[in-house]
Amino acid sequence: MRKELHPSYGPVVFRDRAANHAFLTSSTMTSEKAIEWEDGHTYPVVDVEISNISHPFYTGTARVLDTAGRVERFEKRYGKRG
């Protein structure tokens, strides 16, 4: 990557203030605030309003849908295919 074209890419801590959860990842975001991480190093910290921990509709886990009930209702309403 050309240095004059792309922003710097490095480790950043994202902190979810609502859930009191933080995670270390790489990003191009920067911040004036810093935090000391578990490994003893200091990283810039970006506060976020919501993350996968605090979002009520996070879809990272599989859900089982009642597809049999839906098919039966469709067939009852419109009839079975011949």
Side-chain angles (χ1 to χ4, degrees), residues 2-23:
R2 296 189 331 205
K3 292 183 181 185
E4 64 273 358
L5 181 64
H6 298 283
S8 61
Y9 185 78
V12 177
V13 174
F14 285 93
R15 180 172 52 187
D16 183 353
R17 302 294 285 188
N20 197 20
H21 175 75
F23 54 94

Side-chain angles (χ1 to χ4, degrees), residues 22-79:
F23 54 94
L24 177 66
T25 187
S26 296
S27 177
T28 58
M29 292 189 71
T30 59
S31 175
E32 297 294 324
K33 295 186 278 182
I35 189 171
E36 186 173 338
W37 193 243
E38 301 161 351
D39 61 1
H41 292 92
T42 302
Y43 300 107
V45 62
V46 176
D47 291 327
V48 294
E49 296 293 323
I50 199 162
S51 70
N52 64 332
I53 301 298
S54 64
H55 195 280
F57 298 108
Y58 174 64
T59 57
T61 57
R63 296 184 303 178
V64 177
L65 298 175
D66 182 23
T67 57
R70 291 181 182 187
V71 171
E72 290 170 358
R73 282 185 298 194
F74 181 84
E75 289 177 348
K76 182 179 175 184
R77 184 178 295 162
Y78 298 106

